[in-house]
Amino acid sequence: MGFDFIIEYKKGKENIADALSRRHEVDDKYGGLCAPSQPVPHWIESIKEEVSTSTTMQELVQRIKQGEALGPWKLNYGLVLFKDKIFLSQNSTLATEIIKAISW
């Protein structure tokens, strides 16, 4: 498969991969300040820019803000969401680029 690795047994506190069973130790050490992280795709900023520059999207944003847009529309940090999913206009130039980015 092209992988080159060695499996070693490490007991007790030497086993840093065993974080879940040592959660209380981490909480005690850091005062419970463990925060999850998640990657933010680079194209999110491009979508926000498109929303702010497209007249079609700006009209939709205004309708959402005024409560005139029919359906489950939301604004979230500069993104337009429909049914809690990012919405792109029909003539968006980003759709193909995003599909390429998420297709491996």
Side-chain angles (χ1 to χ4, degrees):
M1 295 183 114
F3 296 109
D4 185 20
F5 57 89
I6 298 170
I7 298 173
E8 293 181 28
Y9 173 76
K10 294 183 178 182
K11 65 188 252 191
K13 291 184 180 182
E14 294 176 28
N15 185 357
I16 59 172
D18 192 14
L20 290 177
S21 65
R22 308 212 184 293
R23 183 171 164 221
H24 64 280
E25 293 174 16
V26 172
D27 286 346
D28 291 344
K29 183 175 180 181
Y30 298 106
L33 297 175
C34 296
S37 64
Q38 68 185 66
V40 177
H42 65 86
W43 39 263
I44 291 291
E45 291 305 317
S46 299
I47 295 172
K48 289 180 182 182
E49 184 179 332
E50 184 172 274
V51 168
S52 67
T53 58
S54 164
T55 53
T56 305
M57 292 301 287
Q58 279 302 300
E59 289 172 7
L60 178 57
V61 166
Q62 290 307 313
R63 290 178 57 206
I64 295 169
K65 285 181 178 178
Q66 295 168 358
E68 297 174 359
L70 299 176
W73 294 97
K74 292 180 189 174
L75 296 174
N76 191 0
Y77 298 104
L79 298 172
V80 174
L81 304 179
F82 183 76
K83 294 185 179 180
D84 294 323
K85 306 231 181 336
I86 296 174
F87 177 81
L88 298 172
S89 67
Q90 188 173 9
N91 57 357
S92 172
T93 58
L94 297 172
T96 305
E97 191 177 317
I98 292 169
I99 290 170
K100 284 180 185 175
I102 62 175
S103 301
W104 305 4

